Amino acid sequence: MNLSLFADEDQAPAAPAPLVPGSSASLLLRAFALPYLDELLPALHAIVLAAPLRHMATPGGLRMSVAMSNCGAQGWITDGRGYRYARLDPASGRPWPPMPPVFLRLAQQAALAAGYPGFTPDACLVNRYAPGARMALHQDRDECDFTAPIVSVSLGLPATFLFGGAERADKAARIPLLHGDVVVWGGPDRLRFHGVAPLKEGEHALLGAQRINLTFRKAG
């Protein structure tokens, strides 16, 4: 990764905005992560050195287009045995890297700004999208505690976040996400289907031809 320590955008965080009309349970926090970049990017670099990104396989044997890693007490994995959380990195047999303090601080402050105080994530999924990579509509159902929100941080290339309803067939809102944006959803929106449209070609000034997504969850 090309991880410069200098922010490339002079944009102040904006007030939280609803992801979908009429719901205060899912909010978009524009540019919220930008003030954290000087600490966030070196911490991210250390994580992927300790637990390299890899393309996991779905239970059906399909290779995921998104490369993944984790940090925190729990890590999300997928293989022929199914989707689940594991305390050990299956590639190394060692615990996942601990969640850096700046990661935890960002996740907790974003959750608080969205109306979810007391968020204590124990897992952070690190997802790398290259151009063409996508995430199909899905629900986050592998966690034990659905009362905790999901906090999702976007870094690098712009992406289109798909935020649907309670059923996979429900029409999904298409929400453009930029470098530094944070999305938080929980409460009655916690099990909405969501995904990411195929990433378009591009070159970000800090991160190059990729988008990094940090997804914070309370797994245990």
Side-chain angles (χ1 to χ4, degrees):
M1 285 189 202
N2 176 23
L3 297 178
S4 168
L5 302 186
F6 301 99
D8 65 335
E9 299 180 31
D10 185 17
Q11 182 180 356
L19 282 181
V20 292
S23 177
S24 60
S26 49
L27 297 174
L28 170 60
L29 286 65
R30 289 280 184 208
F32 193 90
L34 293 184
Y36 297 82
L37 287 185
D38 284 357
E39 294 181 73
L40 193 68
L41 296 182
L44 172 61
H45 185 54
I47 288 167
V48 298
L49 284 177
L53 295 158
R54 76 294 303 260
H55 292 272
M56 298 184 186
T58 68
L62 298 177
R63 179 180 182 267
M64 297 183 68
S65 64
V66 176
M68 304 182 67
S69 187
N70 295 274
C71 68
Q74 304 261 16
W76 187 87
I77 62 173
T78 172
D79 56 23
R81 294 171 50 197
Y83 305 117
R84 64 194 183 280
Y85 284 93
R87 294 188 174 275
L88 301 180
D89 179 349
S92 67
R94 299 190 299 268
W96 298 102
M99 191 178 300
V102 64
F103 275 43
L104 181 60
R105 190 165 70 251
L106 170 57
Q108 291 181 321
Q109 289 300 311
L112 181 63
Y116 297 99
F119 180 47
T120 54
D122 56 5
C124 175
L125 284 63
V126 179
N127 298 329
R128 177 188 182 271
Y129 291 75
R134 61 185 291 269
M135 188 73 71
L137 287 172
H138 66 282
Q139 295 171 302
D140 292 339
R141 300 191 64 97
D142 299 319
E143 298 75 35
C144 295
D145 183 4
F146 291 162
T147 65
I150 303 292
V151 175
S152 178
V153 179
S154 290
L155 302 170
L157 287 177
T160 299
F161 182 58
L162 308 175
F163 197 62
E167 304 294 334
R168 191 186 302 274
D170 291 344
K171 184 177 180 180
R174 297 175 64 88
I175 300 154
L177 296 180
L178 305 176
H179 177 63
D181 288 348
V182 179
V183 174
V184 183
W185 68 96
D189 288 350
R190 173 61 177 74
L191 291 177
R192 280 181 180 260
F193 278 86
H194 58 282
V196 178
L199 193 72
K200 294 182 179 180
E201 296 282 348
E203 187 77 17
H204 189 267
L206 289 180
L207 295 177
Q210 62 180 346
R211 172 188 183 245
I212 300 294
N213 172 233
L214 308 176
T215 302
F216 296 91
R217 304 176 184 176
K218 183 71 171 67

